[in-house]
Amino acid sequence: MNDLTDFVIEAHGGLDRYRRFTSATAHFRTGGALWAVKGRAGILAEAEVRVDLQEQHASHRPFPAPGLRTSFTAQRVAIESDTGEVKAERLDPRAAFAGHTLHTPWDDLHVAYFAGYAMWTYLTAPFSFASPGFRTEQLSPVQEEGQTWQRLKVTFPDHVATHCREQTFHFDESGLLRRHDYTAEVINAGPAAHYCSDHREFNGIMVPTRRRVHPVGADGAVDRDLELVTIDIDEVSFT
């Protein structure tokens, strides 16, 4: 790891504290234009997600109806009852997005895979950068919102499901995450800028509770008028 990686991990609560926990559970609300485009408006209007912090696993509930939940890993996604009965399952779930365009409708398992890897990525960063297989590189700083934001290019290992292999994270002068750039390959709609704000401390860990994802044009300009995805986190518990 480089000095900036160490700095931002410490700013979010520190690796020693983070490693005391094995999971994080967040209650959140989500919206934005993406869900209607995919024919799934309101699918995660209000939900709870639990992510494992030591390996990649996530579960949303209720999904897609009361009494049901998801089970996500990079190799498998499923819909289960609250008692663990498998209702639907898909192995190699990334392959199910082959040939998709922005307007290709999603079924329950498409949503479960996308939401699972996305929320795992968001709730484990920047601590995941210290995990085996992750590589970080400090980029030149940028000026945004009247501030200087330091940037890290993070290369995710092949065994981790996420938006794309290389992603760029922007941090303010205090080391808190303010912007996250990536191309969500499963959506096939080009690059996006994911802004993070309203940080709150939960069990000693700093978490941005307001997230807004906007498209980025070919000229690099962010369309702040269009919200692709919105995430508002009400509560997080690290255990």
Side-chain angles (χ1 to χ4, degrees), residues 34-45 63-64 105-112:
L34 175 67
W35 306 110
V37 170
K38 291 299 185 182
R40 306 312 307 267
I43 186 64
L44 287 169
F63 185 96
W106 279 354
D107 62 23
D108 288 344
L109 292 172
H110 288 122
V111 176

Side-chain angles (χ1 to χ4, degrees), residues 44-207:
L44 287 169
E46 185 172 359
E48 178 182 280
V49 62
R50 179 188 180 278
V51 302
D52 290 351
L53 303 180
Q54 309 305 325
E55 58 183 1
Q56 193 176 32
H57 177 265
S59 179
H60 283 81
R61 63 162 55 87
F63 185 96
L68 298 175
R69 66 189 185 198
T70 71
S71 178
F72 154 82
T73 68
Q75 299 80 28
R76 174 185 178 270
V77 66
I79 309 296
E80 304 173 344
S81 71
D82 283 341
T83 59
E85 181 184 358
V86 176
K87 302 293 186 179
E89 179 184 48
R90 179 173 289 154
L91 304 181
D92 191 14
R94 190 98 173 185
F97 294 87
H100 278 209
T101 69
L102 173 61
H103 296 281
T104 303
W106 279 354
D107 62 23
D108 288 344
L109 292 172
H110 288 122
V111 176
Y113 176 81
F114 173 74
Y117 84 62
M119 291 303 289
W120 186 90
T121 298
Y122 305 154
L123 290 171
T124 60
F127 305 99
S128 56
F129 305 167
S131 300
F134 282 79
R135 300 196 308 275
T136 62
E137 176 187 345
Q138 185 170 351
L139 304 177
S140 59
V142 295
Q143 298 293 316
E144 189 158 356
E145 298 185 2
Q147 303 176 15
T148 299
W149 289 355
Q150 301 292 331
R151 298 187 299 156
L152 276 178
K153 181 176 76 173
V154 179
T155 302
F156 286 67
D158 290 341
H159 68 270
V160 171
T162 187
H163 292 301
C164 57
R165 286 292 141 235
E166 291 187 355
Q167 303 176 32
T168 302
F169 295 77
H170 301 61
F171 302 91
D172 65 19
E173 294 178 355
S174 64
L176 295 179
L177 178 63
R178 298 299 302 275
R179 174 174 164 176
H180 176 192
D181 290 0
Y182 50 79
T183 297
E185 295 169 341
V186 300
I187 299 175
N188 196 19
H194 178 149
Y195 287 87
C196 305
S197 60
D198 295 2
H199 292 74
R200 291 172 55 193
E201 182 180 323
F202 301 97
N203 304 110
I205 304 297
M206 295 299 294
V207 178

